[in-house]
Amino acid sequence: MALCVLALLPATWMRLGAGDRVGTTADAPAGEVVMVFGAGLWKGRPTPYLAHRLDAAAELYRTGKAKVVLVTGDNSRVEYDEPDAMRTYLTERGVPDDRIVSDYAGFDSWDSCVRAKKIFGVDRAVLVSQGFHIHRATTLCRSAGIDAYGVGVDEPRDATWYYGGARELAASGKAALEALFRPDPHFLGPQEGGVAEALASAGR
């Protein structure tokens, strides 16, 4: 029993860390940036879970709750490019290309949060992910210095959903260490002005 309690502590911390800052697209506060985390590709297109995240981001843009969409994902090899696939999906749904900013080194949630803050200068953002992941993402981004609000996308309770929920137990342990020790991401690099430029374009 003690081992079970210890195993659940990081996940509980992630949920408590997010507090009441998780809701739906309708609950999300209006702001400037909505941030979408990668969730895999299938034959070069977003997986259904990633597509649902992007649909929510497009809704936030259409309803005026966001001016810019920051897509963050994995482009560690030439043949696998999450951010560009996410960009294509969003433009097909009416989000202007110049309002989309790509982070090609968002290899995990912590990297995405730190890079959003340090590389792209994001201080406040609405985050979009599935319900089983959004509390961890929100807590990590808040630990990285972003005033974050999380939108949890609903999914049917299928095998993928249960796998994601189980995976969160292990991922929360890693996330707790990252929130405590705040390591640099795999790739940091120079600051980029993509978000500021997109916001300037939105203001014209």
Side-chain angles (χ1 to χ4, degrees), residues 82-152:
E82 278 187 317
D84 276 357
M86 295 160 78
R87 176 185 291 271
T88 298
Y89 188 95
L90 287 168
T91 56
E92 290 172 349
R93 280 146 187 83
V95 181
D97 187 73
D98 65 354
R99 304 293 174 81
I100 304 168
V101 180
S102 300
D103 176 10
Y104 295 96
F107 300 135
D108 61 23
S109 299
W110 176 250
D111 282 14
S112 293
C113 292
V114 174
R115 286 179 54 81
K117 175 68 175 181
K118 292 186 175 182
I119 302 301
F120 294 93
V122 175
D123 295 317
R124 184 170 180 261
V126 174
L127 317 178
V128 179
S129 188
Q130 268 69 32
F132 54 74
H133 171 246
I134 195 61
H135 291 89
R136 174 163 62 93
T138 303
T139 297
L140 286 177
C141 276
R142 294 182 72 187
S143 296
I146 297 174
D147 180 8
Y149 185 93
V151 168

Side-chain angles (χ1 to χ4, degrees), residues 157-181:
R157 299 301 195 261
D158 56 10
T160 303
W161 189 91
Y162 284 108
Y163 168 77
R167 181 178 175 273
E168 278 302 299
L169 292 178
S172 293
K174 174 177 175 287
L177 293 174
E178 289 167 335
L180 282 171
F181 296 105

Side-chain angles (χ1 to χ4, degrees), residues 3-27:
L3 288 175
C4 289
V5 171
L6 287 173
L8 291 171
L9 277 177
T12 303
W13 183 27
M14 293 297 112
R15 186 167 288 272
L16 291 174
D20 60 354
R21 299 183 67 80
V22 171
T24 66
T25 53
D27 300 324

Side-chain angles (χ1 to χ4, degrees), residues 178-195:
E178 289 167 335
L180 282 171
F181 296 105
R182 304 187 181 188
D184 282 336
H186 293 82
F187 294 101
L188 196 57
Q191 292 183 338
E192 297 185 19
V195 170

